[in-house]
């Protein structure tokens, strides 16, 4: 823990959060001390998350059975916020603390709509929780702290490159995702903190281009995508009491697509999913859903979820080997297709 604290102080004074440098030389020492303490608390609130998935979990095919990442303590009762895919279909969970303790935990909530995962420590953590900050108030000129936990936890500074909607290939979409640079590979569940030590995002992905218009000219800017904590505030009580949000009751096809030059290509199909049962194939091009033409992941997923109940008939117009055809599917409620450990 001492090494992590020293790293925070070094980051404060050496990378740009220390307002006493350069043009901010007049900032009172007490303010610098307060910032230092806030970021020290933030770094100490980040823990490692080790997960063993259920033996029959569908997610093993893409995420593996053994998973490692991070989480952030946001409740005095040992509530930990992480990224949902780490704890999807989890059987066993351990929290790894700075003082070498490991604490068992259970899944409190997994929210499909946002991608957040919520854990409850099953023994006292003795770690102070961090406050949630306003992710919409983060500015592009503000230095941010990225912190991961566990045995190899690291700290680094980052800057916000853009804020925009994000649509993922795995039937996922959120508004106001935070895109930062430079990239971190230990991003899964890592905490993104503002200069006041408030949590503003949870790490999700490495992305090839963080710019607002990734199709524009100029060199790519690789970095990370963080799920903004502003998406957590309205649903936190739901996650604690029900394990999910109302928005997570949505149609699921079990298909992964990538978007290339305005064309959606099927690249993976989940086993025993509606897509597999309907005969969809890797390489198919999706042209329309329920009569609405689609050329972006954003449009495809939005139309899928807004078209009716979670379980309903869906028609995809596809192109296969140069021939157009319609494929009928019966979508399912994604939450019902997720395996859970006994008693969860």
């Amino acid at each position: 823990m001492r090494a992590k604290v020293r790293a925070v102080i070094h980051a404060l004074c050496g990378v740009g959060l220390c307002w006493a440098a350069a043009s901010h030389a007049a900032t009172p020492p007490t303010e610098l001390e307060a910032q230092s303490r806030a970021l020290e608390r933030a770094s100490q609130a980040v823990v490692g998350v080790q997960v063993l998935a259920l033996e029959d979990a569908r997610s093993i095919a893409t995420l593996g059975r053994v998973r490692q990442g991070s989480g952030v303590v946001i409740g005095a009762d040992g509530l930990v916020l992480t990224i949902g895919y780490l704890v999807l279909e989890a059987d066993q969970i351990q929290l790894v603390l700075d003082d070498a303790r490991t604490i068992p935990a259970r899944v409190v909530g997994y929210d499909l709509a946002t991608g957040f995962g919520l854990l409850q420590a099953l023994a006292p953590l003795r770690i102070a929780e961090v406050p949630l900050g306003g992710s919409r108030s983060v500015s592009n000129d503000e230095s941010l702290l990225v912190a991961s936990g566990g045995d190899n936890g690291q700290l680094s500074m980052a800057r916000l490159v853009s804020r925009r909607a994000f649509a993922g290939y795995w039937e996922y979409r959120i508004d106001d995702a935070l895109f930062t640079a430079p990239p971190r590979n230990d991003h899964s569940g890592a905490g993104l903190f503002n200069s006041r030590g408030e949590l503003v995002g949870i790490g999700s992905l490495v992305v090839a281009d963080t710019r607002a218009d990734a199709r524009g000219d100029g060199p790519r800017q690789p970095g990370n995508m963080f799920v903004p904590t502003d998406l957590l505030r309205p649903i936190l009580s739901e996650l604690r009491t029900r394990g999910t949000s109302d928005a997570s009751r949505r149609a699921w096809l079990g298909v992964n697509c990538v978007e290339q030059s305005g064309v959606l290509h099927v690249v993976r199909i989940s086993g025993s999913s509606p897509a597999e049962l309907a005969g969809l194939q890797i390489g198919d091009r999706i042209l329309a859903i329920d009569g609405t033409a689609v050329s972006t992941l954003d449009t495809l997923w939005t139309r899928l979820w807004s078209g009716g109940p979670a379980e309903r008939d869906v028609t995809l117009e596809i192109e296969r080997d140069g021939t157009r055809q319609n494929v009928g599917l019966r979508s399912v409620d994604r939450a019902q297709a997720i395996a859970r450990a006994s008693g969860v």
Side-chain angles (χ1 to χ4, degrees), residues 22-46:
S23 60
H24 300 282
T27 304
T30 54
E31 183 175 338
L32 295 176
E33 293 169 1
Q35 288 180 342
S36 175
R37 287 194 298 270
L39 285 170
E40 180 178 322
R41 178 183 63 181
S43 74
Q44 293 172 347
V46 182

Side-chain angles (χ1 to χ4, degrees), residues 131-139 142 144 160 163 178 192-194 196-201 228-231 233:
L132 299 179
S135 50
R136 289 187 181 89
S137 65
V138 177
S139 62
E142 181 178 356
L144 302 171
L160 180 68
R163 181 190 289 105
L178 303 176
L192 181 69
F193 300 93
N194 62 20
R196 296 178 296 281
E198 298 167 337
L199 182 66
V200 296
T229 53
D230 281 349
L231 297 182
R233 295 176 183 277

Side-chain angles (χ1 to χ4, degrees), residues 58-140:
R58 289 182 176 179
S59 56
I60 289 176
T62 53
L63 299 172
R65 191 177 182 206
V66 178
R67 306 165 193 171
Q68 293 190 355
S70 304
V72 183
V73 180
I74 62 169
D77 58 348
L79 194 67
V80 174
L81 181 66
T82 186
I83 197 67
Y85 62 74
L86 274 181
V87 298
L88 176 61
E89 301 180 310
D91 185 23
Q92 300 174 31
I93 301 173
Q94 297 285 334
L95 305 178
V96 183
L97 312 188
D98 274 353
D99 58 7
R101 286 185 296 148
T102 58
I103 302 294
R106 65 177 178 88
V107 177
V108 172
Y110 170 56
D111 192 56
L112 291 163
T114 60
F116 285 125
L118 204 60
L119 305 176
Q120 178 65 59
L122 299 180
L125 292 178
R126 300 194 293 273
I127 295 175
E129 75 276 17
V130 293
L132 299 179
S135 50
R136 289 187 181 89
S137 65
V138 177
S139 62
N140 288 66

Side-chain angles (χ1 to χ4, degrees), residues 166-233:
F166 172 80
Y169 61 84
W170 63 98
E171 299 185 46
Y172 176 72
R173 181 197 179 278
I174 59 170
D175 287 318
D176 298 322
L178 303 176
F179 293 84
T180 65
R184 285 273 296 265
N185 290 326
D186 57 343
H187 51 79
S188 298
L192 181 69
F193 300 93
N194 62 20
S195 58
R196 296 178 296 281
E198 298 167 337
L199 182 66
V200 296
I202 289 291
S204 178
L205 298 169
V206 171
V207 294
D209 201 340
T210 58
R211 295 174 300 169
D213 183 4
R215 299 180 183 87
D217 296 330
R220 291 183 173 185
Q221 290 185 270
N224 296 114
M225 187 276 276
F226 286 83
V227 181
T229 53
D230 281 349
L231 297 182
L232 178 67
R233 295 176 183 277

